[in-house]
Amino acid sequence: MLESKQLAAQRGAATLFSGVDFKLAPGDALLVTGANGSGKTTLLRIAAGLSHAVRGTLSWRGAAVAPLDPELRAAVMYIGHAAALKDELTAEENLASLASLHNGVATSDAVRGALASWSLERQRALPSRALSMGQRRRIGLARLTLVPRPLWILDEPAAALDTAGVALLCDMLGAHLAQGGMAIIATHQDIGLSGPSVRGLTLS
């Protein structure tokens, strides 16, 4: 379980948000929305253990955690807004590198299977600089297949995806939640995820 109590964050002297409470149990998802600059990415980074709040507490499995807490970090798959790909590497090489970075399964068969699940079989040997923004996004999301973590934290995962890509993302999230996983997703668009275990949080 991940729980926040009265989280607050600042950028310089400006308060981004304050008094943020949420609780995630296995099977739960939190959709974070808000205007540009409202602190969505900051909140996700705090929840992932990558940044600190100026006030409030974050707890993982009932214990308060500080930034870079090893138990929380080992449970989180964080995918930021940027694709984080190296232009000179192929789609296959980039995905293998991303999976290895998170101690995931990076065998050739596993990587090719993950790319195939995102309809990238024909692009696997192409350098990333030759791919569209949507294809680059799909490579980054394909690591979810290779790195099993209970808590997915995704920053604008549907950015640049076409309708089929958004549908696949929704299916993957649904399967993850059905298996007892948890997710926090910052998004500007409807990704089709719904149900009693899906809650919203709007930052203003």
Side-chain angles (χ1 to χ4, degrees):
M1 178 182 291
L2 183 72
E3 183 176 7
S4 78
K5 293 183 178 179
Q6 296 296 294
L7 287 182
Q10 290 181 222
R11 182 177 295 129
T15 297
L16 293 175
F17 56 79
S18 62
V20 170
D21 296 327
F22 64 79
K23 183 183 293 186
L24 285 180
D28 288 346
L30 181 69
L31 300 180
V32 182
T33 58
N36 291 338
S38 60
K40 297 186 299 297
T41 295
T42 299
L43 178 60
L44 265 59
R45 289 183 59 82
I46 292 171
L50 296 171
S51 187
H52 72 279
V54 295
R55 288 185 303 279
T57 60
L58 184 72
S59 299
W60 172 245
R61 293 176 175 167
V65 292
L68 303 180
D69 179 89
E71 186 175 350
L72 176 60
R73 293 294 302 125
V76 171
M77 179 72 257
Y78 175 82
I79 299 181
H81 187 266
L85 304 181
K86 296 181 179 179
D87 285 345
E88 69 276 11
L89 298 184
T90 65
E92 189 172 2
E93 290 167 340
N94 265 299
L95 182 54
S97 176
L98 290 170
S100 296
L101 183 65
H102 296 285
N103 298 315
V105 180
T107 65
S108 179
D109 285 348
V111 170
R112 291 186 181 188
L115 289 172
S117 71
W118 281 93
S119 301
L120 291 169
E121 303 99 320
R122 293 185 299 172
Q123 291 81 18
R124 67 180 181 83
L126 293 177
S128 291
R129 64 174 175 271
L131 302 178
S132 71
M133 291 299 295
Q135 289 169 335
R136 290 167 65 90
R137 174 66 62 186
R138 285 170 179 249
I139 294 170
L141 291 170
R143 83 186 90 165
L144 294 170
T145 306
L146 303 176
V147 185
R149 300 283 176 87
L151 177 56
W152 291 359
I153 299 183
L154 312 177
D155 194 355
E156 299 291 351
L161 291 182
D162 57 15
T163 301
V166 174
L168 180 54
L169 172 64
C170 183
D171 288 345
M172 289 190 69
L173 283 164
H176 178 64
L177 299 180
Q179 293 166 4
M182 295 168 282
I184 302 176
I185 306 127
T187 181
H188 277 105
Q189 63 193 93
D190 182 7
I191 59 174
L193 193 65
S194 62
S197 65
V198 180
R199 294 185 295 276
L201 172 65
T202 300
L203 301 179
S204 57

